[in-house]
Amino acid sequence: AKSKNDVFAVKAIANKQLDGPLAKRWKPRTSGKDPPHNIRGASNPAKLLTESKLPDNPKEARFQSLYRDKFDQSALGYDVRNCPSTPPEDYPRGWAAPEVLTNWNPNDVTTISPKYREVYRSLCVFDYQAQYDVALAYRNAEKPFVIRNDPSVMEVVRRWDDDPEYLHKKLGDENRIYTERSPKNHFMYYNVRKRKQVRNWRQPENDVVSMSYGEWLERALLREAYALDDPEIKARSDELREKRMTLPNRDEEDIPDDDEIQVDNDRESEKRMKWYYFRLNAFLEEAKGDTVDKFVFDEVAFFDPRNTTASHFYFVEPEDQRGINCRFGMRGIVAENHYDLSRNMIAILGGERRYIIAHPAQCSKMGLYPAQHPSGRHSSFDWSNPSDWDVHPEFRTAEVNEVVLHASDVLYLPTSWFHYISNLSLNYQCNIRSGIGHENADAIRDCGFNPKDKPKDVSEEQ
């Protein structure tokens, strides 16, 4: 029997809303052969390198059955679920970027059981309740890792992920929030204030509009319904659309006075074909009264520096906190490769995301836009397009690894570590910054950037 929780079937192209490029992207295979990009079948047990017994939790069992480690302890030299107390000398291991991307193209976000993905994972995964001290040692050593099973994080997951109506009730249908919009599934960060520093600069296709959570949820659910071939999810999306149509029209005066915000004049048919990245930026000094800032800090208390008990692990330098930045992603969205100028704790509070990461020493191989460019610190080419690798041949020798995160996972990325993100489902992600590490400053400086420059824009993490 088909279940929305464990089956990732693709909707047939007969649906008229899937004409054109989008149809090609979601088109199902009918040849009977395995899909491309090395999706392995359950009939090939020789490559199974994960746990021999799946957990009792259905969500966890589904996750582990779909995303399996390609390499075991004998290949890595350490067990990612029982890592040594001191990080190994070559931790984390990396592989050639083309190998990882060819194995699993970032635009492919649908996996059908019993098929599964082989993941080039080398990051340690720690249990908050059983391996806290070891995880803290890796954090203090400025090494990336994943930590899970924190009761404070899991409590948020129970509200946000397990109750599909919770966030909708809290954020509503009328309060408009900055939302990134794109006609394509790839999103590129840019700082419009730097546009005059680059001659003939052309803005990426994504821009920013003002949208309620209810409208974003409507569109995200529609994307899920197409992928899962689920009429119940489609019906819920339709209900939200019908409700939105009964709400009063908002005049342009209601849109925040911000040069970044565009008036959303798209027709309904156009909106259905686009991707939207809903974002909540909460600042501690504004976390009072009936504000979104207070809501976020109350909800994600383990990222509140005032809550010293719950947040102690996640802040290296609490005095350098810069608020809580949340991104709610639609299935299929890709955030282009980049590095951040500070330490980063990234919590997945619902859904799934794939992160491809790389050490700062790989900087010269990433084809980055220069510092003065509006998209500085970001790769200037499409990682998912092999023909672009020929334009940047140095990329073929770049070393990366990857990890698939799901609800309750928290990823630690030290300063200047590269990350490239694929949204594998509707998901909720929040992150914090806490100071700057300088252990990789030389690598970034040699690449043409000033590692001591503190970022002025807190909204870049995608």
Side-chain angles (χ1 to χ4, degrees), residues 314-345:
Y314 302 108
F315 284 100
V316 179
E317 298 179 74
E319 65 278 8
D320 285 339
Q321 65 82 27
R322 294 166 46 221
I324 301 174
N325 307 308
C326 299
R327 294 290 179 277
F328 298 170
M330 295 173 67
R331 176 189 292 264
I333 286 178
V334 171
E336 304 294 3
N337 175 61
H338 64 286
Y339 76 86
D340 298 320
L341 293 166
S342 54
R343 303 180 182 96
N344 209 343
M345 284 284 186

Side-chain angles (χ1 to χ4, degrees), residues 26-38:
W26 292 110
K27 187 175 181 179
R29 292 176 60 88
T30 57
S31 65
K33 298 179 181 179
D34 281 352
H37 308 302
N38 200 28

Side-chain angles (χ1 to χ4, degrees), residues 282-286 297 303-306 311 314-325 342-343 431-436 454 458:
F283 302 95
L284 191 58
E285 57 271 20
E286 302 294 332
F297 272 92
F303 277 172
D304 186 342
R306 299 169 299 183
S311 70
Y314 302 108
F315 284 100
V316 179
E317 298 179 74
E319 65 278 8
D320 285 339
Q321 65 82 27
R322 294 166 46 221
I324 301 174
N325 307 308
S342 54
R343 303 180 182 96
N431 70 287
I432 56 165
R433 311 289 177 80
S434 63
I436 300 173
K454 289 189 177 182
V458 300

Side-chain angles (χ1 to χ4, degrees), residues 317-385:
E317 298 179 74
E319 65 278 8
D320 285 339
Q321 65 82 27
R322 294 166 46 221
I324 301 174
N325 307 308
C326 299
R327 294 290 179 277
F328 298 170
M330 295 173 67
R331 176 189 292 264
I333 286 178
V334 171
E336 304 294 3
N337 175 61
H338 64 286
Y339 76 86
D340 298 320
L341 293 166
S342 54
R343 303 180 182 96
N344 209 343
M345 284 284 186
I346 305 164
I348 305 300
L349 302 173
E352 296 163 1
R353 287 190 175 201
R354 176 193 181 195
Y355 277 73
I356 301 176
I357 73 171
H359 191 281
Q362 304 300 307
C363 185
S364 63
K365 302 176 182 181
M366 294 298 179
L368 302 180
Y369 284 116
Q372 69 273 17
H373 193 279
S375 297
R377 299 179 291 103
H378 290 65
S379 288
S380 59
F381 63 100
D382 182 358
W383 279 24
S384 68
N385 185 358

